[in-house]
Amino acid sequence: MSHGHVPGVPQAAGAPGTPPGAYPVGAPPTGPSPMGAPPVGVFPVGAPPVDAVPGAGPAAPPAARKPSGGRDRYLDLLRSLALVRVVVYHLFGWAWLTILFPSMGVMFALAGSLMARSLKRPAWGVIRGRIRRLLPPMWVFGAVALCLLFAGGWNISEDPDHEGTWGLVSMANYVFPVGAPPFPWELGDKAGLLEETWSAQAVGPLWYIRAYLWFVIASPLLLWAFRRVPWATLFAPLALTAVVGTGLVTIPGETGNTISDFAVYGSCWVLGFAHQDGLLAQVPRYLAVSGSALIMAFGLWWASGHLGPDGWDLNDIPLAQAAWSFGFVVILLQYAPSWQELPGRLARWDKLVTLSNNRAVTIYLWHNFLIMATVPIIDQAYDLPFMEDARWSSALDTTYMLWMTLLVWPLIGLMVLTVGWVEDLAAKRRPRLWPNGAGSSRQGSGTGARGRRRLRS
């Protein structure tokens, strides 16, 4: 996707114009929108339990592959893996993670599958329910973020990137994110607890909420088109990415970011339709896998000639991201088993998979904040008496990222306890502090330097 480089941010991260929220924080994002992720049913990551669906919708292909009832634990496992990959990527900023597991494409595909299943009911009710589940957790996050931004001295009327009437109007995106909410790229000073780009790192990931919202709103029309001209609908976003994600056509501003994100991940979303309706299962496996391998190979070939500031980070290369994510998701869904329970050794992770699916929005929204929070906490260790010894302080310097990695997970758990229950209220369920499925039947379940991570995922 082609997002222009945002002024005021060190050129450590991306190509021109990437929407914030997907790259190891500390650099302006570029390329396709990933983080950046994730809504429940509303959120590719950790969607809330899918209800039993009464009634029938438009005729769908007969060979739909899905479990006989309840959650598909294979899809739940993929959501959990995608969330973990997003957190690790934002900790270390390793470019190869975008190739190893394209989490945002996976999350959008899983959300598309859930959406297609839900659209057997009246479309307006489904859209309203998805939005209702998404917004309250975002409002809590946005309220905390805005308090910190204003306390840090941000005044949107004096921000050169958001001044004027439109800057004030864009604040409404903290309430209903038709666009990515505004934030300062730099705030504070180098002597503060956090680096100057902490605001971009914290709020930038909200691009994903905006992208998800537009996919939800467009789903009735997309599903209608898919069931009439499936292959054209499936590949149209890839074709659009070849236009808007390569510089052939440049659309400025937040409109361009929104269209680019929609194009890059649109085919993954529609792949979710194909999986749910059974169309993907009708394609011979050898044909699906070989075709996907060719598309993925094209993506890597394109990336090799269009490397960004971070090399092979596909977040900086929209067309490569779209092609690689598409092929990767096809293979994952082609080999998808229908698990009512996690099998074998995977069963030991059942409670964590259930918890992460039930709190996907919370984990996605807050994880970058919490990664940054590890820095001032760990820095307190330098004040310990024995740290005056150069050997101890050097040891802490050397292992700093390890301590950040170990500390962020308990902080995420604490945030789940503190605000995760808002997801239950949004879904009109009884609030639960730690919904890992224990004791009840399951119904649904950075870079290498400290202080610098990426906004996209």
Side-chain angles (χ1 to χ4, degrees):
M1 110 175 90
S2 67
H3 299 301
H5 191 70
V6 181
V9 182
Q11 292 242 19
T18 307
Y23 291 8
V25 179
T30 65
S33 287
M35 195 147 215
V40 161
V42 140
F43 226 50
V45 177
V50 180
D51 308 321
V53 185
R65 295 177 52 193
K66 50 190 171 188
S68 56
R71 296 292 299 223
D72 186 328
R73 298 300 278 170
Y74 173 72
L75 301 187
D76 287 346
L77 178 63
L78 290 181
R79 289 189 193 95
S80 298
L81 290 174
L83 273 178
V84 170
R85 208 285 277 155
V86 166
V87 175
V88 173
Y89 173 81
H90 286 166
L91 269 165
F92 296 96
W94 292 328
W96 53 267
L97 284 174
T98 63
I99 297 174
L100 178 66
F101 194 87
S103 60
M104 302 312 293
V106 171
M107 288 159 58
F108 279 119
L110 299 179
S113 179
L114 286 177
M115 194 67 185
R117 177 177 175 177
S118 295
L119 281 172
K120 294 175 183 177
R121 294 173 283 160
W124 170 242
V126 173
I127 292 174
R128 185 176 57 189
R130 290 288 184 263
I131 293 175
R132 186 194 69 235
R133 290 175 172 181
L134 173 66
L135 292 184
M138 195 202 80
W139 291 338
V140 172
F141 175 85
V144 173
L146 285 174
C147 286
L148 292 175
L149 292 177
F150 293 146
W154 182 51
N155 185 338
I156 190 170
S157 63
E158 298 175 0
D159 188 329
D161 294 325
H162 304 289
E163 59 187 351
T165 303
W166 281 113
L168 293 174
V169 170
S170 68
M171 291 292 289
N173 287 319
Y174 280 99
V175 178
F176 194 85
V178 293
F183 55 86
W185 278 104
E186 291 185 348
L187 191 64
D189 56 67
K190 294 180 179 179
L193 286 176
L194 300 171
E195 63 170 9
E196 293 172 289
T197 60
W198 71 265
S199 54
Q201 300 177 40
V203 183
L206 289 179
W207 75 266
Y208 176 80
I209 306 296
R210 176 255 294 150
Y212 183 86
L213 178 67
W214 279 112
F215 276 125
V216 166
I217 293 172
S219 281
L221 179 59
L222 286 174
L223 189 59
W224 176 87
F226 172 75
R227 286 173 173 167
R228 283 155 182 79
V229 281
W231 299 110
T233 306
L234 183 60
F235 287 102
L238 284 175
L240 181 60
T241 305
V243 176
V244 300
T246 60
L248 188 61
V249 172
T250 301
I251 304 173
E254 184 57 26
T255 300
N257 294 342
T258 300
I259 293 174
S260 293
D261 291 341
F262 196 93
V264 169
Y265 297 106
S267 288
C268 289
W269 186 274
V270 178
L271 272 175
F273 296 172
H275 176 70
Q276 178 64 33
D277 279 6
L279 178 66
L280 198 56
Q282 296 175 8
V283 179
R285 181 169 289 174
Y286 77 91
L287 185 59
V289 172
S290 58
S292 297
L294 288 175
I295 293 173
M296 295 167 74
F298 167 78
L300 292 182
W301 171 79
W302 181 265
S304 70
H306 301 81
L307 299 180
D310 295 288
W312 284 86
D313 194 316
L314 299 186
N315 290 314
D316 298 336
I317 316 166
L319 184 56
Q321 176 76 286
W324 182 263
S325 297
F326 178 85
F328 195 94
V329 168
V330 168
I331 294 173
L332 283 180
L333 296 181
Q334 264 290 332
Y335 285 91
S338 291
W339 289 340
Q340 292 297 294
E341 302 288 342
L342 293 177
R345 294 182 179 179
L346 290 175
R348 71 182 65 175
W349 303 100
D350 184 84
K351 289 183 175 61
L352 286 177
V353 169
T354 299
L355 178 66
S356 60
N357 272 256
N358 281 322
R359 292 294 180 260
V361 184
T362 299
I363 295 170
Y364 179 83
L365 286 174
W366 292 93
H367 77 275
N368 250 13
F369 248 136
L370 299 175
I371 288 173
M372 289 184 292
T374 64
V375 174
I377 293 174
I378 297 172
D379 281 353
Q380 299 304 306
Y382 287 105
D383 295 330
L384 297 173
F386 62 83
M387 293 300 288
E388 294 179 3
D389 187 323
R391 291 175 299 175
W392 286 103
S393 60
S394 176
L396 181 56
D397 290 341
T398 303
T399 59
Y400 205 97
M401 291 303 299
L402 172 63
W403 291 111
M404 289 180 67
T405 304
L406 293 175
L407 184 57
V408 72
W409 300 107
L411 291 179
I412 289 174
L414 182 60
M415 189 58 65
V416 165
L417 289 170
T418 304
V419 301
W421 51 269
V422 176
E423 292 194 51
D424 291 326
L425 293 181
K428 296 185 177 180
R429 294 194 298 264
R430 178 177 57 83
R432 299 163 294 170
L433 288 179
W434 196 254
N436 65 351
S440 64
S441 59
R442 183 171 51 248
Q443 295 181 2
S445 348
T447 63
R450 104 185 210 218
R452 290 181 65 93
R453 279 157 295 283
R454 294 252 256 169
L455 296 181
R456 290 241 164 205
S457 314

